Amino acid sequence: MDRFNLVIGHNDPAFKDIISKQIDNSLFALSNVESCFTKLIKACKETSAKVLFIQHELIKENDWITLQSLASSTEIVLLSNNRIDAAKAFEFDLFDFILEPIASSRLGKTFDKLSRLLSPEKKQFDLVSSLMQKLTPNKPDDRQIVLKDAGRIKFLTPDEISWVGGAGNYVELHLSENERTILHRQTLSSMEQQLLPYGFIRIHRSAIIKKQAIREIRPTDNGDYIVTLKNGANLNLSRRYKQNMHELIC
């Protein structure tokens, strides 16, 4: 299992270096640094962040309910130069409160608590993943795809997937039943190789689709194609992957 993603919301760029020194060779990996509350929440959701450090100055009064909702899946540490704000952390079910300027020893105690809390979850996920690898049959048609999604372990079959989008080291799996998308840490190229035996094909540098999910293909004025799926999604078939058109229609 990869390390737990950690997101920082702070106005001082130097705070990133402070956190980076604390999490070196630990359970945590720094994924995003933001100074805007909206971008911060988006980053937490997109990376399935397990830990968020947020400066009190970034939070407006109507943002607290959003933070409380996020706290159900992300451990949130509130940072402030005012001791009174500790009451806010308690009121909205946040994991911890740290007074600024932050002492290294105090920050270390927070990471010790986070490690004790999250270590069992990591061990459990690694155990399940190991068992799945041992129990997976050799026949491709029987293979399940194991995904980590927002702290849960999901088991999918290729038939449940309509198409897959890529963004850096993550993929978004769009399911045939129009459920919410699943964000999973894996490159699109790696996922493409995994799904290739099940009738999936690359149509764009950031998209893989299942041939059985296609409703129609139509050309555009610039030489590309629009692929419409049965669930209504419209995706571009770029000229770079035009050679795959034959595989789509055969």
Side-chain angles (χ1 to χ4, degrees):
M1 177 186 177
D2 294 319
R3 296 190 292 173
F4 293 113
N5 284 333
L6 182 151
V7 173
I8 292 174
H10 207 284
N11 285 322
D12 184 1
F15 186 68
K16 173 185 175 181
D17 297 329
I18 296 173
I19 292 293
S20 296
K21 291 178 182 178
Q22 283 281 346
I23 65 175
D24 188 35
N25 296 320
S26 71
L27 290 175
F28 309 100
L30 180 59
S31 62
N32 292 74
V33 179
E34 303 287 351
S35 57
C36 166
F37 184 84
T38 302
K39 292 181 179 179
L40 193 62
I41 298 303
K42 182 180 179 182
C44 287
K45 293 178 179 178
E46 288 182 346
T47 64
S48 298
K50 205 65 183 175
V51 180
L52 166 63
F53 281 81
I54 182 168
Q55 190 179 29
H56 182 270
E57 284 78 356
L58 302 184
I59 308 169
K60 297 178 181 178
E61 191 59 37
N62 58 354
D63 292 333
W64 287 101
I65 297 300
T66 302
L67 272 184
Q68 187 176 37
S69 176
L70 182 66
S72 63
S73 59
T74 303
E75 306 303 334
I76 302 174
V77 180
L78 180 64
L79 311 169
S80 175
N81 58 11
N82 192 334
R83 293 181 183 276
I84 296 176
D85 294 327
K88 282 282 190 180
F90 178 79
E91 179 183 354
F92 290 95
D93 305 318
L94 306 191
F95 178 78
D96 201 358
F97 170 84
I98 301 180
L99 186 67
E100 294 187 296
I102 302 173
S104 178
S105 59
R106 177 64 182 86
L107 189 59
K109 288 181 180 179
T110 294
F111 276 109
D112 286 343
K113 289 196 298 182
L114 286 167
S115 296
R116 288 195 298 271
L117 175 70
L118 297 175
S119 289
E121 180 178 328
K122 181 180 186 301
K123 291 178 181 177
Q124 182 181 33
F125 183 87
D126 289 345
L127 176 60
V128 172
S129 297
S130 175
L131 288 173
M132 282 303 302
Q133 290 177 1
K134 294 177 181 179
L135 295 173
T136 296
N138 292 325
K139 294 181 180 180
D141 289 343
D142 295 330
R143 188 171 300 161
Q144 284 186 312
I145 298 171
V146 183
L147 306 169
K148 183 176 182 290
D149 174 39
R152 301 178 180 180
I153 301 169
K154 285 187 175 290
F155 303 92
L156 296 180
T157 62
D159 289 340
E160 296 177 85
I161 303 169
S162 180
W163 68 281
V164 184
N169 291 325
Y170 288 85
V171 291
E172 273 192 340
L173 291 94
H174 299 256
L175 306 186
S176 304
E177 297 299 324
N178 284 323
E179 300 178 35
R180 70 173 182 84
T181 58
I182 296 175
L183 187 70
H184 175 63
R185 187 176 177 86
Q186 185 175 347
T187 64
L188 190 62
S189 295
S190 174
M191 181 61 73
E192 178 184 11
Q193 295 303 311
Q194 192 173 357
L195 293 176
L196 201 60
Y198 307 105
F200 284 76
I201 190 166
R202 188 79 162 260
I203 64 166
H204 192 274
R205 63 183 178 84
S206 61
I208 302 168
I209 63 171
K210 183 170 59 180
K211 290 197 291 183
Q212 293 87 344
I214 298 173
R215 184 175 298 280
E216 68 173 25
I217 302 173
R218 62 183 186 276
T220 64
D221 294 336
N222 63 3
D224 291 346
Y225 290 83
I226 298 295
V227 180
T228 301
L229 304 185
K230 293 175 182 177
N231 64 3
N234 289 313
L235 303 172
N236 287 328
L237 169 60
S238 66
R239 279 169 286 181
R240 178 181 175 184
Y241 294 94
K242 197 172 181 178
Q243 70 274 13
N244 292 342
M245 173 70 76
H246 178 75
E247 294 184 48
L248 288 176
I249 62 179
C250 294

